[in-house]
């Protein structure tokens, strides 16, 4: 059953939610300025190679956040225009709250929240998780350098280049740019056309996607991604 949280309880369970994440962690907050304690917890998740998604949307990141993110390999950051929701999710817990991931808010503001446990409120947890995934899909992923993915993705892995220097396969974001659509729209099309399937919040190539020439790649710096033939079309 959902549990009401006051300010101190929200801060406590937020730390617990981050600490207990074993596979995935989603942090959605319009404002992003982390205190040292949360940074320490997230650095530990990065060392454990936990998939962490942070979505923000109300202001430019501070220089200290930029420099901190540059050191992390498994935390992906996205910008969502007009974001006002605050929601924090791992595999078993979800917090829907008024609390931003903002140091001032955590110390000075009066906040409220609701804690949802997957084992007790499976339907409610699922609804919140699916909405969080939707917000991620409509967001623009930001590289650690804070340039949008589709702008920096023109730097293709040299292994993808043919002997004459032309690209045989390109990333999803580069393909979207070539087709003149946003990356999240192309991803939705790939999923609806069964080239990609979603399992527990993660994207996987289907047999159809592999037959079409799609490949899964892993970058030490930017994480997992897909590549496609440069003449691919849906």
């Amino acid at each position: 059953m959902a549990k009401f949280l006051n300010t101190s309880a929200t801060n406590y369970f937020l730390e617990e939610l981050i600490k207990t994440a074993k596979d995935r962690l989603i942090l959605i907050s319009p404002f992003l300025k982390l205190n040292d304690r949360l940074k320490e917890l997230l650095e530990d998740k990065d060392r454990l190679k936990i998939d962490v998604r942070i979505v923000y949307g109300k202001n430019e990141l501070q220089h200290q956040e930029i420099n901190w993110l540059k050191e992390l390999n498994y935390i992906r950051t996205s910008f969502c225009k007009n974001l006002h929701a605050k929601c924090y999710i791992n595999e078993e817990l979800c917090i829907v709250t008024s609390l931003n991931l903002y140091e001032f808010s955590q110390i000075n503001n009066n906040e409220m929240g609701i804690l949802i446990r997957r084992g007790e409120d499976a339907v409610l947890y699922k609804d919140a998780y699916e909405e969080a995934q939707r917000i991620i899909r409509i967001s623009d992923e930001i590289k650690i350098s804070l340039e949008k993915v589709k702008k920096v993705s023109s730097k293709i892995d040299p292994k993808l280049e043919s002997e004459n220097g032309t690209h045989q396969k390109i990333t999803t974001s580069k393909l979207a740019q070539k087709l003149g659509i946003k990356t999240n729209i192309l991803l939705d099309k790939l999923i609806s056309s069964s080239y990609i399937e979603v399992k527990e919040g993660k994207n996987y190539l289907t047999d159809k996607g592999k037959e079409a020439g799609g490949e899964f790649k892993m970058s030490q710096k930017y994480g997992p991604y897909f590549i496609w033939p440069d003449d691919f079309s849906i």
Side-chain angles (χ1 to χ4, degrees):
M1 188 172 220
K3 175 183 177 66
F4 172 78
L5 305 176
N6 60 17
T7 305
S8 59
T10 301
N11 280 295
Y12 170 78
F13 280 103
L14 175 59
E15 288 195 11
E16 289 299 302
L17 184 149
I18 295 173
K19 282 195 296 185
T20 58
K22 294 181 173 60
D23 179 56
R24 63 179 179 270
L25 179 62
I26 301 171
L27 305 174
I28 297 175
S29 170
F31 295 96
L32 184 62
K33 186 178 180 183
L34 302 171
N35 62 38
D36 290 340
R37 174 62 175 168
L38 291 186
K39 285 183 179 179
E40 179 184 286
L41 293 174
L42 289 171
E43 286 167 0
D44 188 51
K45 297 295 107 173
D46 189 68
R47 284 190 289 270
L48 294 172
K49 300 181 180 180
I50 305 299
D51 181 27
V52 179
R53 293 298 302 263
I54 299 177
V55 182
Y56 73 100
K58 289 298 184 184
N59 65 339
E60 295 294 330
L61 292 181
Q62 301 295 316
H63 288 299
Q64 63 188 70
E65 265 61 50
I66 294 173
N67 293 332
W68 177 70
L69 286 166
K70 284 180 180 178
E71 304 299 320
L72 306 174
N73 295 314
Y74 294 91
I75 295 181
R76 291 182 288 166
T77 309
S78 300
F79 176 84
C80 183
K81 184 179 179 181
N82 299 325
L83 180 67
H84 192 66
K86 298 96 175 175
C87 182
Y88 313 114
I89 303 176
N90 69 11
E91 307 90 341
E92 299 298 331
L93 300 176
C94 171
I95 297 174
V96 179
T97 177
S98 60
L99 179 71
N100 281 292
L101 281 180
Y102 198 74
E103 189 172 18
F104 180 90
S105 299
Q106 291 179 282
I107 297 173
N108 297 282
N109 291 349
N110 291 306
E111 308 285 355
M112 291 185 184
I114 296 294
L115 175 68
I116 304 165
R117 298 182 187 274
R118 184 181 184 183
E120 298 175 358
D121 289 293
V123 174
L124 186 57
Y125 173 92
K126 179 175 178 291
D127 289 343
Y129 179 80
E130 289 180 349
E131 179 62 13
Q133 288 295 320
R134 186 192 69 81
I135 290 174
I136 290 173
R137 288 196 300 272
I138 65 173
S139 302
D140 289 323
E141 187 173 341
I142 305 297
K143 290 293 189 183
I144 298 304
S145 64
L146 298 186
E147 294 179 316
K148 290 184 179 179
V149 171
K150 61 183 179 182
K151 290 184 179 178
V152 300
S153 61
S154 58
K155 185 179 180 182
I156 305 298
D157 189 330
K159 294 180 181 178
L160 305 181
E161 296 183 4
S162 62
E163 292 182 359
N164 62 9
T166 59
H167 295 132
Q168 295 177 322
K169 292 190 177 181
I170 57 180
T171 62
T172 305
S173 55
K174 187 66 175 179
L175 179 60
Q177 186 179 18
K178 183 177 179 180
L179 296 174
I181 59 177
K182 289 186 176 182
T183 303
N184 62 289
I185 293 177
L186 177 57
L187 279 171
D188 286 342
K189 289 180 178 292
L190 291 168
I191 293 170
S192 62
S193 300
S194 300
Y195 292 101
I196 292 175
E197 61 181 344
V198 181
K199 295 180 180 178
E200 296 185 347
K202 295 183 179 181
N203 295 333
Y204 295 88
L205 272 178
T206 63
D207 290 339
K208 182 179 178 180
K210 294 175 183 177
E211 290 172 3
E215 293 182 40
F216 172 82
K217 296 288 183 179
M218 174 63 77
S219 165
Q220 286 290 332
K221 188 172 184 180
Y222 299 125
Y225 64 98
F226 298 112
I227 57 173
W228 309 91
D230 58 7
D231 61 350
F232 179 86
S233 62
I234 298 180

